[in-house]
Amino acid sequence: MKRSTAAFIAMSALFVSLLISAHCLERVGVANIYSTKIYSGGLSIAITAWEPVEERVGTIILIHGVLASKEMMYPLASDLARAGWRVILVDQMGHGGTEGQYILSTKDLEDSVRALGKILNQTKGYRKAIINYLKDILAPNESIVFGGHSLGAFLAMVLAGEVQKDLNVLATIAIAPPYFPGIVNSSTPRNLLICLGKHDEFIGLDIAKMYLNPTNPVVIKPGRLYGSFSNGTARMIFVSELSDHLLEPYDPKIISKVLEWIDNARGVKGVRHVALGTLIAEFKALAGLIGIAIVALIPPIVSSKLGMISGGKRFPAIEYAKTTIVVSIVVWPLLTVVLLAGFLSGMVTIAGRTGYVV
């Protein structure tokens, strides 16, 4: 057996093993994962729900950021489900499987407050659909947590404030939220945790501090608890040194802090959570890297085998040459692109784990 063939077999076995391991780990503590759509005023909104194996302690809504999809929140969702939460992942307007779009002018984009104001107005129907859906599925007095990343964090804070009087909002998780005045005060939304990556290119610590003290933000200290969980006024800014804006939803330190914060809001102490979601994503990233190497081995192996069939010549006969050309020029690049896309989506988790910033 040639070395290239042996390497192909070995890497294929490792590739399959990593994918199976990731799939199995992802479903530890998760009873069911299903996708559906909710409708409101002609708007179709895509959601994915993660149901826990353990007795449900509450429901968490997670909303992703701009130019992403709900799948970006999978690492956090899987860990929350293992902790006993039903997690509802929602695609934003014009993202993933959700219809609609944000309509913003160049002038709007030059003024973040103006842009967020327009988004606030344009998402009225979207937010109403989510609120109505929650009222339908929540058990009486069931605890609910709103969370999100970037623009999704902004929407999560708005939603939490809108339903605070009608639903049992336990806490609010805002990962790198853009600043918009007036949506946060000392008691709204309840038990607010703001998380940031130290290397975030868009949302700096000074912006996050504005949410806790807009008149004198310099007095706010990261990692310090302000207010109290008992009356819903708890506030904190947590900064992880591992990530930038893109990597924050994959950051194991941020995920662990979110789990700890929600436990504190419930009055649960001393529970140690391991961010398995990040590890699972790393397995997928490594599988993607190995997959690229596997695809790179296909042309020489196929050419060698076809050459043997045609009489052991250096180049295969004409009838086999056509097949070799198709494999080498068409199939190989296409497979490489597909695997590279999977690899890059997973690599962000490795970067977050090691502190590397892209």
Side-chain angles (χ1 to χ4, degrees):
M1 183 183 296
K2 291 188 175 182
R3 290 181 180 178
S4 59
T5 304
F8 180 85
I9 294 173
M11 286 192 292
S12 296
L14 183 57
F15 174 77
V16 172
S17 298
L18 284 169
L19 288 182
I20 292 175
S21 298
H23 178 81
C24 294
L25 280 174
E26 193 169 57
R27 280 153 180 76
V28 171
V30 179
N32 189 25
I33 302 174
Y34 61 90
S35 297
T36 186
K37 290 195 173 185
I38 55 179
Y39 301 90
S40 176
L43 181 66
S44 172
I45 301 172
I47 67 171
T48 297
W50 294 56
E51 295 282 356
V53 169
E54 299 180 5
E55 182 179 355
R56 191 171 78 228
V57 297
T59 295
I60 296 180
I61 293 286
L62 292 180
I63 307 174
H64 63 83
V66 173
L67 302 180
S69 69
K70 58 185 183 297
E71 285 75 19
M72 191 172 186
M73 308 301 287
Y74 271 21
L76 178 55
S78 63
D79 285 320
L80 287 167
R82 273 185 284 277
W85 291 88
R86 171 174 57 185
V87 186
I88 308 294
L89 304 175
V90 188
D91 272 333
Q92 281 201 51
M93 284 174 45
H95 293 69
T98 297
E99 298 173 346
Q101 61 179 328
Y102 295 122
I103 302 175
L104 301 171
S105 66
T106 304
K107 182 178 288 187
D108 295 331
L109 296 176
E110 293 173 352
D111 184 343
S112 61
V113 173
R114 177 189 176 103
L116 289 172
K118 280 202 168 184
I119 289 172
L120 199 58
N121 184 58
Q122 292 171 19
T123 56
K124 285 181 179 179
Y126 174 84
R127 301 197 313 273
K128 182 179 179 181
I130 293 174
I131 291 171
N132 290 339
Y133 173 72
L134 289 174
K135 289 180 178 179
D136 288 340
I137 67 169
L138 292 177
N141 205 39
E142 180 177 348
S143 295
I144 182 165
V145 175
F146 289 89
H149 174 238
S150 193
L151 182 59
F154 167 75
L155 293 174
M157 291 190 295
V158 173
L159 280 164
E162 288 178 330
V163 302
Q164 189 163 297
K165 294 181 179 179
D166 301 321
L167 300 177
N168 182 23
V169 179
L170 180 70
T172 311
I173 308 299
I175 303 174
Y179 181 70
F180 188 83
I183 65 170
V184 172
N185 57 41
S186 60
S187 59
T188 303
R190 289 178 59 84
N191 297 327
L192 173 63
L193 173 67
I194 297 177
C195 297
L196 282 177
K198 181 180 178 180
H199 309 285
D200 194 306
E201 310 91 336
F202 306 110
I203 310 298
L205 182 57
D206 54 338
I207 294 177
K209 289 181 177 181
M210 292 286 288
Y211 274 119
L212 270 58
N213 191 333
T215 58
N216 191 19
V218 295
V219 303
I220 300 299
K221 304 298 182 184
R224 179 177 174 181
L225 177 64
Y226 297 89
S228 170
F229 285 105
S230 60
N231 59 13
T233 62
R235 268 99 177 94
M236 180 183 287
I237 296 175
F238 174 77
V239 179
S240 169
E241 71 278 7
L242 296 183
S243 53
D244 68 350
H245 192 76
L246 176 65
L247 306 179
E248 286 156 342
Y250 302 88
D251 189 325
K253 288 194 173 183
I254 288 179
I255 293 175
S256 295
K257 188 62 182 180
V258 168
L259 291 164
E260 177 191 329
W261 184 265
I262 294 173
D263 280 347
N264 289 335
R266 293 176 58 214
V268 177
K269 303 291 184 180
V271 179
R272 184 176 181 273
H273 295 285
V274 179
L276 278 181
T278 304
L279 179 63
I280 293 165
E282 289 172 353
F283 276 15
K284 292 180 179 179
L286 184 56
L289 179 61
I290 294 172
I292 293 173
I294 291 172
V295 172
L297 287 171
I298 291 176
I301 292 175
V302 171
S303 297
S304 173
K305 296 299 181 184
L306 291 177
M308 291 172 62
I309 293 172
S310 62
K313 298 178 181 179
R314 183 175 179 81
F315 297 100
I318 294 297
E319 57 268 30
Y320 298 113
K322 294 179 180 178
T323 304
T324 305
I325 290 172
V326 170
V327 171
S328 301
I329 298 178
V330 180
V331 179
W332 178 38
L334 286 176
L335 286 174
T336 302
V337 168
V338 171
L339 288 170
L340 183 60
F343 166 67
L344 290 176
S345 66
M347 273 299 292
V348 294
T349 64
I350 295 179
R353 187 84 169 196
T354 60
Y356 176 79
V357 180
V358 295

